[in-house]
Amino acid sequence: QVQLVESGGGLVQAGGSLRLSCVASGSIFRLNAMGWYRQAPGKQRDFVARISDGGVANYGDSVKGRFTISRDNAKNTVYLEMNTLKPEDTAVYYCNADVTLTARATAGYWGRGTQVTVSS
């Protein structure tokens, strides 16, 4: 019904930057809140950032001041600008969205993830 496709991951040195994108498509009536989570090997999936449909953002403590979430509602896209990257930011980054479907039901969706690796 709804697909979320992430892109922009890769290998970067510590102190560098990356920009992740996530495009939503499918039976979308309205995209509500969208966000990013991450999961490092052997660890649980953790909250990174979230942005409401009105543009209000909140962040996990470990990324505050370094990461910026934004969205382009016309393109059904959410972005994550990551600066001053650290080796501990290494993880698979997942996009998440709360979607009101064309059938008016609301559901949450996940992308398949994009790998971010920060070398020291």
Side-chain angles (χ1 to χ4, degrees):
Q1 289 177 314
V2 174
Q3 297 78 41
L4 301 178
V5 179
E6 302 99 334
S7 62
L11 173 64
V12 63
Q13 289 187 330
S17 299
L18 282 175
R19 188 192 196 205
L20 305 183
S21 301
C22 172
V23 180
S25 63
S27 303
I28 300 169
F29 175 73
R30 184 177 63 243
L31 278 175
N32 303 311
M34 302 182 76
W36 292 92
Y37 292 72
R38 66 187 183 186
Q39 188 167 18
K43 296 188 176 181
Q44 67 182 15
R45 190 171 296 188
D46 289 333
F47 170 72
V48 175
R50 195 159 181 85
I51 186 167
S52 72
D53 54 353
V56 177
N58 56 86
Y59 299 90
D61 288 341
S62 63
V63 306
K64 283 181 181 177
R66 299 188 299 123
F67 291 10
T68 302
I69 190 171
S70 62
R71 63 190 288 167
D72 185 334
N73 292 330
K75 296 181 179 180
N76 285 352
T77 301
V78 64
Y79 305 97
L80 185 68
E81 184 75 33
M82 306 185 293
N83 298 313
T84 320
L85 283 160
K86 305 175 182 179
E88 51 264 43
D89 293 318
T90 295
V92 178
Y93 283 69
Y94 295 92
C95 178
N96 173 267
D98 293 327
V99 182
T100 300
L101 303 172
T102 52
R104 300 302 190 267
T106 299
Y109 291 89
W110 292 91
R112 294 188 175 182
T114 185
Q115 176 71 46
V116 171
T117 304
V118 184
S119 63
S120 58

